[in-house]
């Protein structure tokens, strides 16, 4: 593969040479593995589109893109989409741009609403496709880049059902703060474990948008949140550094609050409670495995 050719010390015009340097410098053990990974991105708006571009430039194997919307002129204060793409579905416009940037990435476009019965079915089926075992998915990570509570709860439901690790992201309606969060079913709090507005108020009240409010948006805040999200996605996939559990971003103070949220045994989501039980039951095996390391 193109990546493999770059194990030599030379720096040439290969787009992967600077990425393979991460391996030579000891940051990443095996960068080439990125070709084997699939990432699903739900919401190809201000954060999701930029996250998709970053993963594409990093040489991710496969990207599954979900969004129900079309590109509008009002989106031009964000990064990624261009005026000539107005009217196209966001997922098709994204595939157009991303395939031009890196033709090695396998791109799947799903223009659908994940909160409808049919949309949810297609969403679940696409996550399960290409999986090697019965109760596993064909993707390594799901990134939620949607802008509303209902869609987040649906991603939460799908990931709890499938035992799928995912990362949630958000930008506040006043556009000056945001957050990312890692959700590992059974191990960390799920999106339903703690009422998100209560959780958010402890860190940042306005990290989640309200319905029917004309929200502000800035390409800067969205770019920072997309960068934090993909940086942690890379750490998770390529197994380097520490993956953030919850990381807030307050741009007015350049303050980054970090915290950890444990699962709630009384969570209202039955699939979450099931995953918590499995996680507890597998604890002895995990402890034993950790000891032999
Ligand atoms: P604005 O807030 O100005 O309307 P936006 O709708 O593009 O902009 P962003 O925060 O930039 O919002 O991106 C969120 C993305 O998530 C949007 O592209 C939106 O279409 C998508 N999205 C939200 N809910 C769903 C859903 N249920 N199914 C599929 N995509 C969704
Ligand atoms: Zn839960």
């Amino acid at each position: 593969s193109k990546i493999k050719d770059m194990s030599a010390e030379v720096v040439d015009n290969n787009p992967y040479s600077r990425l393979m340097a991460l391996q030579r410098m000891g940051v990443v053990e095996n960068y080439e593995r990125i070709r084997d990974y699939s990432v699903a991105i739900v919401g190809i708006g201000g954060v999701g589109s930029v996250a998709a571009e970053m993963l594409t430039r990093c040489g991710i194997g496969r990207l599954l893109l979900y969004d129900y919307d079309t590109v509008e002129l009002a989106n031009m204060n964000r990064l990624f989409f261009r005026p000539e793409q107005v009217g196209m579905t966001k997922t098709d416009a994204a595939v157009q741009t991303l395939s031009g940037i890196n033709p090695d990435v396998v791109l799947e476009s799903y223009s659908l609403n994940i909160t409808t019965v049919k949309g949810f079915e297609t969403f679940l089926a696409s996550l399960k496709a290409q999986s090697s075992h019965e109760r596993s998915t064909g993707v390594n990570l799901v990134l939620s880049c949607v802008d509303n509570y209902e869609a987040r709860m649906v991603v939460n439901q799908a990931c709890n059902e499938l035992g799928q690790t995912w990362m949630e992201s958000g930008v506040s309606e006043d556009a000056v703060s945001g957050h990312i969060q890692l959700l590992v079913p059974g191990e960390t709090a799920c999106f339903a474990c703690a009422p998100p507005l209560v959780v958010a108020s402890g860190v940042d009240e306005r990290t989640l948008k309200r319905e029917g409010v004309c929200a502000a948006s800035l390409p800067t805040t969205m770019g920072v949140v997309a960068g934090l999200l993909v940086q942690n996605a890379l750490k998770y996939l390529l197994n380097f550094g520490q993956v953030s559990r919850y990381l807030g971003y307050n741009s007015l103070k350049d303050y980054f609050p970090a915290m950890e949220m444990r699962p709630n045994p009384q969570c209202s989501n039955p699939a979450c409670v099931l995953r918590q039980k499995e996680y507890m039951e597998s604890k002895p095996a995990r402890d034993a495995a950790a000891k032999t390391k």
Side-chain angles (χ1 to χ4, degrees), residues 18 112 128 139 149 183 250:
R18 302 308 176 109
L112 51 79
K128 281 198 249 181
V139 304
Y149 176 81
L183 298 100
N250 175 329

Side-chain angles (χ1 to χ4, degrees), residues 214-274:
C214 176
S217 70
L218 280 170
T220 46
T221 309
M222 288 180 157
V224 169
V225 170
L228 293 173
L229 182 66
V230 176
Q231 193 80 287
N232 280 280
L234 291 174
K235 288 189 283 183
Y236 175 79
L237 294 170
L238 298 173
N239 196 25
F240 67 100
Q242 244 179 307
V243 181
S244 279
R245 294 294 164 124
Y246 178 103
L247 184 65
Y249 169 51
N250 175 329
S251 76
L252 299 181
K253 293 184 173 162
D254 276 341
Y255 170 58
F256 295 84
M259 62 177 203
E260 218 168 291
M261 282 184 276
R262 290 185 190 286
N264 174 2
Q266 269 94 50
C267 179
S268 61
N269 187 297
C272 172
V273 177
L274 254 174

